[in-house]
Amino acid sequence: RRVHGDVFEEDEHFSVKLSNLRNSVSPEMEKSSNQPTLCRLGNDFEATITILDDDHCGVFCFENEEISVSESLGQVEIKVARHSGARGTVHIPYSTVDGSAKGGGLEYDDSFGELEFSNDQTFGIITVNLIDHEEYEKSEHFYIEIGNPRQVLRKSSHGSIIYEEDFERDENKMTDEELIASQGRPKLGAITRIKVTITESKEFTGAVDRLLKSTNMGELLSTSSWKEQFIEALSVSAGGDDDEDDDDEGGEERQETPPSTMDYVMHILTVPWKLLFAFIPPTNYFGGWACFVVSICGIGMLTAVIGDLASHFGCTVGLKDAMTAISLVALGTSVPDTFASKVAAVGDKTADASIGNVTGSNAVNVFLGIGVAWSVAAIYHAIKGDDFEVHPGALGFSVTTFCILATICIATLFVRRYTVGCELGGPRKSKIITSIFFFCLWLVYLALSGMVTYCVFKPPF
């Protein structure tokens, strides 16, 4: 019979052995049967019984590394499991950590405190309140972390809690029994951090999809006349994020914010460009094709102007054509792509649109821009009977350097996927570090290409 104790002990064992085998048949019966009665022990005549101790305080962890929850539920309940023992009362601290979803009542209410596990309790629940913004195709996430658990020893006469660790002693001064007992203290398991992804409400998404199917989006997004475009170009609007809510927490309508001083300054600086592009045909003319074709032509002319200005500036300051091309001209023509990628990154739930815009625009520059320009020049010289030759210069080294640095950039995005959880955005620290690293890659490209252009060293190829 095993006597149960309430103090953690190491696993123990004892053995049961069969021995001293004796024959119970009397000599008279053995003589009457005329045959001797034989008996012996088999091979397995000894058994070992191991006593497993169940007085461990437990190992605490989440059951999953990630869960998804709809924002329409209003709250999410996260289960913290306790296994490998459930002795005693244990307090385990927890807290929420911002990801792409922000706490403080923006996407969810911050939650922190201590989860109490009573004796023989095998799981606990952490509850976090969610804010329902009714956003379409929403996918934001935050994290919940648990800290080191503490075993409750007793409560003092004043009502304060006294923990086992308050009397923790140096292991070198502990007896063997105390060392064994210390092994039964509560511990953390493998999963101590869980990612909570907030998704859109299925009911809200379904209602929006049904509304879009029955509505002509061209009428909602288009401009109907040049007059409307010029009025919009000359009007000063207040700046701010487009994704802010129209209603505050109390349900009252948000008051219109007047333009700030910076809004007026930016309007004065950009009004010539606004008026220039107000001449583009409205989007409801010819099914939007007139707006598309004229916009492409306008962007092409604007790019040509930027290229010429950059070339003249490079000539003025004494830059060679190769350095002007990879610095000033490239910078001037790529800034619009940068802002377009920023808008795509903010408006889309994945990084596909923003990164695809960068690679797509460069593909147009290389395949279409160089192809058309060189084709026109080659045809022109062929008609005149001349040969059209373009010397490569340091183009091979420049392209090779660019490919190597671009590979490093893509590898960085892959590393961010598994370390930060996203290619773009994420915690502020990781965003700043990644931005500085990418900017340094651009400086390295300019430095290496510039040294080859100005013959600081000769490229190996």
Side-chain angles (χ1 to χ4, degrees), residues 301-324:
M301 290 186 292
L302 183 60
T303 303
V305 172
I306 293 176
D308 288 341
L309 290 177
S311 299
H312 285 295
F313 178 78
C315 182
T316 303
V317 298
L319 286 177
K320 290 187 176 182
D321 291 341
M323 279 302 298
T324 303

Side-chain angles (χ1 to χ4, degrees), residues 84-99:
S84 299
R87 179 178 63 85
T89 301
V90 177
H91 289 175
I92 180 168
Y94 68 90
S95 62
T96 54
V97 180
D98 287 348

Side-chain angles (χ1 to χ4, degrees), residues 248-297:
D248 56 15
E249 295 181 357
E252 298 179 358
E253 185 176 355
R254 188 185 300 273
Q255 295 181 355
E256 184 177 356
T257 305
S260 62
T261 303
M262 192 62 187
D263 293 329
Y264 281 101
V265 173
M266 293 302 299
H267 175 73
I268 294 174
L269 294 176
T270 58
V271 69
W273 302 104
K274 292 182 178 180
L275 290 175
L276 177 63
F277 285 96
F279 285 97
I280 295 176
T283 53
N284 60 349
Y285 286 15
F286 300 101
W289 283 102
C291 176
F292 176 76
V293 173
V294 176
S295 298
I296 292 295
C297 295

Side-chain angles (χ1 to χ4, degrees), residues 310 319-320 322-333 442 445-446:
L319 286 177
K320 290 187 176 182
M323 279 302 298
T324 303
I326 65 175
S327 58
L328 300 178
V329 176
L331 187 63
T333 55
W442 179 64
Y445 171 73
L446 289 181

Side-chain angles (χ1 to χ4, degrees), residues 220-399:
L220 296 177
L221 302 177
S222 64
T223 52
S224 58
S225 64
W226 269 290
K227 177 182 177 181
E228 181 181 346
Q229 294 184 170
F230 278 101
I231 292 176
E232 184 178 353
L234 294 174
S235 301
V236 183
S237 57
D241 296 335
D242 295 334
D243 58 350
E244 291 183 353
D245 298 324
D246 295 333
D247 298 333
D248 56 15
E249 295 181 357
E252 298 179 358
E253 185 176 355
R254 188 185 300 273
Q255 295 181 355
E256 184 177 356
T257 305
S260 62
T261 303
M262 192 62 187
D263 293 329
Y264 281 101
V265 173
M266 293 302 299
H267 175 73
I268 294 174
L269 294 176
T270 58
V271 69
W273 302 104
K274 292 182 178 180
L275 290 175
L276 177 63
F277 285 96
F279 285 97
I280 295 176
T283 53
N284 60 349
Y285 286 15
F286 300 101
W289 283 102
C291 176
F292 176 76
V293 173
V294 176
S295 298
I296 292 295
C297 295
I299 293 174
M301 290 186 292
L302 183 60
T303 303
V305 172
I306 293 176
D308 288 341
L309 290 177
S311 299
H312 285 295
F313 178 78
C315 182
T316 303
V317 298
L319 286 177
K320 290 187 176 182
D321 291 341
M323 279 302 298
T324 303
I326 65 175
S327 58
L328 300 178
V329 176
L331 187 63
T333 55
S334 298
V335 166
D337 293 335
T338 303
F339 286 107
S341 296
K342 189 263 182 184
V343 173
V346 173
D348 196 62
K349 64 179 181 179
T350 65
D352 296 343
S354 56
I355 297 179
N357 174 69
V358 175
T359 55
S361 62
N362 282 280
V364 172
N365 294 338
V366 175
F367 302 135
L368 189 60
I370 296 179
V372 171
W374 285 11
S375 298
V376 171
I379 294 172
Y380 173 78
H381 284 279
I383 294 175
K384 294 187 64 176
D386 300 332
D387 293 332
F388 176 63
E389 296 180 354
V390 178
H391 298 286
L395 180 62
F397 177 80
S398 178
V399 171

Side-chain angles (χ1 to χ4, degrees), residues 103-340:
L106 296 179
E107 304 290 345
Y108 66 94
D109 291 334
D110 293 327
S111 181
F112 56 90
E114 287 189 331
L115 195 62
E116 179 175 316
F117 285 79
S118 59
N119 188 42
D120 293 332
Q121 181 180 348
T122 57
F123 69 91
I125 300 296
I126 298 175
T127 303
V128 180
N129 295 325
L130 306 177
I131 308 301
D132 188 1
H133 294 294
E134 294 186 346
E135 295 182 9
Y136 188 78
E137 292 188 349
K138 179 177 182 177
S139 181
E140 308 288 347
H141 68 273
F142 66 95
Y143 302 93
I144 301 178
E145 296 179 344
I146 55 177
N148 292 321
R150 299 186 294 173
Q151 181 183 3
V152 177
L153 185 61
R154 64 178 183 274
K155 289 187 178 181
S156 66
S157 57
H158 302 287
S160 59
I161 298 176
I162 301 176
Y163 294 98
E164 182 75 26
E165 63 184 26
D166 296 337
F167 299 92
E168 186 173 357
R169 298 169 55 192
D170 188 1
E171 292 184 357
N172 297 326
K173 299 180 180 180
M174 290 184 181
T175 63
D176 294 340
E177 292 78 8
E178 290 175 336
L179 284 174
I180 295 174
S182 65
Q183 297 176 7
R185 292 178 179 176
K187 300 177 181 179
L188 288 177
I191 306 176
T192 60
R193 177 184 174 105
I194 186 171
K195 178 181 178 181
V196 182
T197 302
I198 308 174
T199 61
E200 76 281 358
S201 170
K202 299 300 181 182
E203 294 79 7
F204 175 75
T205 304
V208 173
D209 290 340
R210 290 191 296 270
L211 177 63
L212 294 179
K213 289 181 180 179
S214 60
T215 305
N216 186 0
M217 291 302 298
E219 297 178 358
L220 296 177
L221 302 177
S222 64
T223 52
S224 58
S225 64
W226 269 290
K227 177 182 177 181
E228 181 181 346
Q229 294 184 170
F230 278 101
I231 292 176
E232 184 178 353
L234 294 174
S235 301
V236 183
S237 57
D241 296 335
D242 295 334
D243 58 350
E244 291 183 353
D245 298 324
D246 295 333
D247 298 333
D248 56 15
E249 295 181 357
E252 298 179 358
E253 185 176 355
R254 188 185 300 273
Q255 295 181 355
E256 184 177 356
T257 305
S260 62
T261 303
M262 192 62 187
D263 293 329
Y264 281 101
V265 173
M266 293 302 299
H267 175 73
I268 294 174
L269 294 176
T270 58
V271 69
W273 302 104
K274 292 182 178 180
L275 290 175
L276 177 63
F277 285 96
F279 285 97
I280 295 176
T283 53
N284 60 349
Y285 286 15
F286 300 101
W289 283 102
C291 176
F292 176 76
V293 173
V294 176
S295 298
I296 292 295
C297 295
I299 293 174
M301 290 186 292
L302 183 60
T303 303
V305 172
I306 293 176
D308 288 341
L309 290 177
S311 299
H312 285 295
F313 178 78
C315 182
T316 303
V317 298
L319 286 177
K320 290 187 176 182
D321 291 341
M323 279 302 298
T324 303
I326 65 175
S327 58
L328 300 178
V329 176
L331 187 63
T333 55
S334 298
V335 166
D337 293 335
T338 303
F339 286 107

